[in-house]
């Protein structure tokens, strides 16, 4: 007896993409500036190649100039740093994305921190992390997955989360921390839980908005969910699915979706919830960066 509203990430993503296309076309018409995204990939990790080609493809669909730099696995730190420097200096490029993880012999942190903050469309530069932490949401760029998850939260609760308790399980720089800051900025009362949290189930049960970003398949059970809560499942876990045939697998989130949707009022599915929002917000960040570079007021998403 699932009562929960299923939050449709594909639909939300499609409507953001339409707005991105319109904004990119508007910028080109009014300022003669074509939005440009450069995606850099090093090595031949198949999953990373799949991500990168879908990002490049989506950028083209949005009407952007889309450039992909595919570097061999043996690329040196200096070579990669030089490429980032040249993209920093290229006025036709507004967004630079270096696909992570990099091959083991490369140090990703100095590379990420060498991207100009105004072109850091992944929102990983300390300047952008710092702006979010200090509540400056207007001049920085926000990490794509939390920005997308927040858009889904807003689709249920609106802009102002005053009086609501939010619990984020996970404290990564990529997701947990920026998500907690976005919720705090929207006036939620926020708890960040992690592997050292005591009695996580009861902490989770206090949440009107429960966000799980852990990487443990179906960890969050129905009795962790407050009746009527909004549940945002960020986890993407591939598990064996012998019922689909030998060697088959399927994707599940960090939330036991079937049972949790009997208790929650709204819940994101996996796949089709937060997942589609990540690339979408990358496009949104890039068109925002292009507007700022052209001295135009950026769109809001
Ligand atoms: N596009 C997308 O939809 C998207 C994007 C990013 C990530 N993800 C998914 O989201 C999940 C999390 O990603 P991430 O990058 O944030 O992962 P991460 O860097 O591995 O962080 C995982 C967090 O979960 C916490 N944790 C681990 N075990 C726990 C437990 N038993 N109880 C409570 N907390 C626990 C860790 O706590 P400690 O800090 O104490 O170790 C850590 O803060 C992954 O499944 C990933 O695939 C999806």
């Amino acid at each position: 007896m699932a009562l929960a509203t299923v939050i449709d990430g594909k639909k939300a993503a499609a409507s953001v993409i339409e707005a991105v296309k319109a904004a990119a076309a508007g910028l080109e018409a009014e300022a003669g500036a074509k939005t440009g995204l450069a995606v850099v990939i090093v090595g031949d990790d198949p999953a990373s190649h799949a991500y990168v080609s879908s990002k490049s493809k989506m950028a083209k669909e949005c009407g952007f100039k889309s450039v992909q730099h595919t570097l061999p696995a043996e690329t040196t730190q200096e070579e990669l740093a030089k490429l980032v420097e040249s993209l920093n200096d290229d006025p036709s490029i507004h967004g630079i994305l270096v696909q992570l993880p990099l091959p083991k012999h490369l140090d990703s942190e100095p590379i990420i921190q060498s991207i100009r903050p105004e072109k850091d469309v992944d929102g990983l530069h300390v300047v952008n992390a710092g702006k979010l932490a200090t509540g400056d949401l207007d001049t920085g760029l926000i990490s794509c997955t939390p920005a997308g998850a927040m858009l889904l939260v807003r689709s249920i609760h609106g802009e102002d989360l005053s009086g609501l308790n939010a619990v984020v399980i996970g404290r990564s720089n990529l997701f947990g921390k920026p998500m907690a800051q976005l919720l705090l900025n929207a006036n939620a009362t926020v708890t960040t839980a992690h592997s050292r949290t005591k009695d996580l189930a009861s902490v989770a049960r206090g949440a009107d908005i429960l966000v799980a970003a852990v990487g443990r398949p179906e960890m969050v059970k129905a009795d962790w969910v407050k009746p009527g809560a909004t549940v945002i499942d960020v986890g993407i876990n591939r598990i064996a699915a012998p019922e689909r045939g030998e060697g088959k697998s399927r994707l599940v989130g960090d939330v036991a979706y079937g049972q949790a949707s009997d208790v929650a009022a709204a819940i994101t599915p996996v796949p089709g919830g937060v997942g589609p929002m990540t690339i979408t917000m990358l496009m949104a960040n890039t068109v925002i960066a292009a507007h700022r570079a052209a001295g135009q007021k950026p769109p809001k998403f």
Side-chain angles (χ1 to χ4, degrees):
M1 187 194 53
L3 297 172
T5 299
V6 179
I7 303 173
D8 187 343
K10 279 191 210 154
K11 204 167 144 195
S15 91
V16 172
I17 289 297
E18 284 315 306
V20 168
K21 283 182 190 167
L27 184 64
E28 205 167 344
E30 280 160 38
K34 196 175 179 75
T35 301
L37 175 66
V39 182
V40 179
I41 178 163
V42 186
D44 5 75
D45 176 55
S48 294
H49 273 271
Y51 287 136
V52 160
S53 64
S54 57
K55 287 169 186 174
S56 300
K57 193 172 145 229
M58 184 63 89
K60 282 196 193 95
E61 266 176 55
C62 289
F64 298 178
K65 169 182 171 170
S66 170
V67 186
Q68 188 176 321
H69 293 271
T70 308
L71 304 182
E74 57 275 13
T75 301
T76 65
Q77 188 85 19
E78 291 68 33
E79 286 165 339
L80 181 56
K82 250 205 181 107
L83 173 60
V84 170
E85 204 182 306
S86 74
L87 295 170
N88 274 337
D89 291 338
D90 182 343
S92 75
I93 295 299
H94 306 102
I96 303 170
L97 180 135
V98 177
Q99 183 65 40
L100 301 176
L102 290 172
K104 285 204 169 50
H105 69 282
L106 295 173
D107 188 0
S108 59
E109 204 46 33
I111 295 294
I112 297 302
Q113 302 307 330
S114 75
I115 296 171
R116 276 200 198 145
E118 56 275 27
K119 296 192 178 190
D120 165 43
V121 283
D122 244 351
L124 298 177
H125 196 285
V126 290
V127 165
N128 286 318
K131 285 183 172 179
L132 174 57
T134 53
D136 173 2
L137 273 66
D138 292 327
T139 72
L141 291 164
I142 298 166
S143 179
C144 301
T145 307
M150 196 60 195
L151 207 134
L152 299 181
V153 169
R154 289 208 308 264
S155 76
I156 300 294
H157 294 279
E159 299 284 328
D160 187 4
L161 308 179
S162 291
L164 296 176
N165 290 327
V167 173
V168 180
I169 312 177
R171 56 171 163 178
S172 66
N173 290 331
L174 189 69
F175 185 84
K177 282 177 197 158
M179 186 70 205
Q181 286 156 354
L182 285 169
L183 290 160
L184 183 61
N185 264 298
N187 300 323
T189 302
V190 184
T191 303
T192 305
H194 47 76
S195 69
R196 312 297 175 92
T197 298
K198 195 171 153 187
D199 201 358
L200 184 56
S202 83
V203 172
R205 248 187 327 268
D208 302 298
I209 299 167
L210 178 60
V211 183
V214 179
R216 294 173 78 97
E218 302 182 320
M219 179 182 80
V220 175
K221 310 294 183 206
D223 66 353
W224 293 35
V225 177
K226 178 177 175 174
T230 295
V231 177
I232 305 290
D233 189 353
V234 184
I236 302 178
N237 310 289
R238 188 165 283 287
I239 62 166
E243 73 279 6
R244 294 187 176 183
E246 206 187 301
K248 297 277 185 207
S249 64
R250 64 191 175 98
L251 291 181
V252 297
D254 291 342
V255 177
Y257 180 83
Q259 44 172 284
S261 54
D262 289 341
V263 183
I267 187 166
T268 60
V270 176
V274 175
M277 299 305 291
T278 300
I279 291 188
T280 301
M281 298 317 285
L282 176 69
M283 301 304 134
N285 276 347
T286 307
V287 84
I288 288 170
H291 277 75
R292 289 177 182 157
Q296 304 271 325
K297 191 176 175 324
K300 278 207 187 303
F301 294 97

